[in-house]
Amino acid sequence: MHVNVENDDELVCPTCGQEPCLAASLPTPAGHTSVILCPRCNANSPAADTVTPLLAWFALHEAAIDQNLDELAALVRRWLEEVSRPSVPDAALRAALRQWERRAVSLDGSQRA
Ligand SMILES: [Zn+2]
């Protein structure tokens, strides 16, 4: 199973048009489905138990780095398990989040070649 976590400037929430914290592309029997974590629209979602800590994480951290990757991975895992079944293997999730981390770093410009 493959999960793709996206951090893309072009991405907007389909409901409010704001930039989401996080988007994930998840495999389904029919192909792929995208789930978006929007700080506005998801704040009062039915999955608030998993969404609230994740939104709080994004409010506190600008990007995933080694020091906070485990914490973020745990929060994203809980969120993805809420919005999708079955669960996501840890290795796939960590790999996806590392990709997100590199993306955030390059958008910041601090490690541009
Ligand atoms: Zn929204």
Side-chain angles (χ1 to χ4, degrees):
M1 179 170 174
H2 178 74
V3 57
N4 185 28
V5 179
E6 298 158 15
N7 177 32
D8 187 339
D9 271 353
E10 307 283 305
L11 218 61
V12 294
C13 170
T15 307
C16 73
Q18 300 289 306
E19 191 183 339
C21 290
L22 189 69
S25 178
L26 300 167
T28 66
H32 275 80
T33 184
S34 283
V35 289
I36 279 183
L37 179 70
C38 174
R40 274 189 174 188
C41 303
N42 293 131
N44 298 308
S45 76
D49 283 356
T50 57
V51 166
T52 304
L54 189 52
L55 287 176
W57 191 95
F58 280 102
L60 288 170
H61 303 86
E62 282 184 22
I65 57 173
D66 278 352
Q67 286 72 26
N68 61 31
L69 187 67
D70 286 346
E71 188 186 3
L72 177 61
L75 291 171
V76 171
R77 160 181 298 285
R78 281 179 56 195
W79 174 61
L80 289 177
E81 283 174 357
E82 187 70 35
V83 296
S84 73
R85 322 270 176 195
S87 67
V88 179
D90 197 52
L93 179 60
R94 290 180 64 89
L97 288 173
R98 286 203 168 277
Q99 225 167 17
W100 184 86
E101 166 193 352
R102 279 196 294 276
R103 195 90 181 244
V105 167
S106 70
L107 286 171
D108 178 49
S110 56
Q111 286 192 7
R112 200 159 287 161

